[in-house]
Amino acid sequence: MRESREADQRVKAETDELTGILNRRGFLDRAERALKRCRKDGTPCAVALFDLDYFKEINDTYGHATGDSALRAFIETAQRSMRSNDLFGRVGGEEFAALFPGADAPAALSLADRIRQSWIRSGRKIDGCDVNSTMSGGVVALHDDQSLEELLALADQGLYLAKKAGRNRIELATNDKPAPPTSQTCLA
């Protein structure tokens, strides 16, 4: 009985209450373990970050209930487009992370773009509203002995590039050390 309660508590601690998928904590924990396995086995691996474009406008125009529905619809769309061994989690408000074990850069880019293209179709109508939601993403493949933190920072740079280039796209990040934050990125 005690073990069952502890397991339930662990699942609750790792699950996003609104969407039912891994939360940041759960994703980071499982992704770290999967990344270690990939390194040990010499298997390629990639990380992606996704962000729903102009999500605040959905909330402001159609209400938070429709925004919540959009998040759940995106998750369903993304999960249908992913492979069974991929990890997926909500790591921020409308930001999601994926880990693609066994995927090199071209394969990960293709997987991420498949999610984006599926969302273009699925994100048109949410709760009967014409929201025409799109998403942007950044992808990076494991190189050498990078930490999950470094990979996420690089994928975030790719995401930033996608946003800067007009949104509704996936950008492959260069696999260099992430740039340190500048004073501009720290200003509110």
Side-chain angles (χ1 to χ4, degrees), residues 88-103:
F88 187 57
R90 183 178 180 200
V91 295
E94 71 276 3
E95 189 170 79
F96 301 88
L99 184 118
F100 302 128

Side-chain angles (χ1 to χ4, degrees), residues 99-113:
L99 184 118
F100 302 128
D104 59 7
L109 195 56
S110 177
L111 283 164
D113 200 54

Side-chain angles (χ1 to χ4, degrees), residues 117-140:
Q117 290 176 28
S118 293
W119 181 240
I120 289 171
R121 292 184 297 278
S122 300
R124 285 186 181 139
K125 241 187 206 329
I126 305 292
D127 290 348
C129 302
D130 292 323
V131 298
N132 294 309
S133 180
T134 59
M135 59 78 93
S136 299
V139 173
V140 66

Side-chain angles (χ1 to χ4, degrees), residues 24-125:
R24 181 178 193 84
R25 176 187 194 175
F27 176 80
L28 293 175
D29 181 52
R30 292 186 190 184
E32 192 66 58
R33 286 183 286 181
L35 190 58
K36 283 180 185 175
R37 276 193 306 275
C38 287
R39 279 194 203 105
K40 181 182 174 192
D41 299 342
T43 305
C45 189
V47 171
L49 282 178
F50 306 111
D51 188 79
L52 297 184
D53 297 327
Y54 304 111
F55 182 72
K56 184 178 181 325
E57 288 181 20
I58 294 172
N59 279 336
D60 291 349
T61 304
Y62 304 103
H64 290 274
T66 299
D68 290 350
S69 293
L71 293 173
R72 288 189 289 269
F74 174 71
I75 289 162
E76 290 172 17
T77 299
Q79 288 178 321
R80 280 193 309 268
S81 300
M82 296 174 114
R83 305 165 307 167
S84 61
N85 66 327
D86 294 334
L87 282 176
F88 187 57
R90 183 178 180 200
V91 295
E94 71 276 3
E95 189 170 79
F96 301 88
L99 184 118
F100 302 128
D104 59 7
L109 195 56
S110 177
L111 283 164
D113 200 54
R114 184 168 68 196
I115 294 167
R116 184 191 66 79
Q117 290 176 28
S118 293
W119 181 240
I120 289 171
R121 292 184 297 278
S122 300
R124 285 186 181 139
K125 241 187 206 329

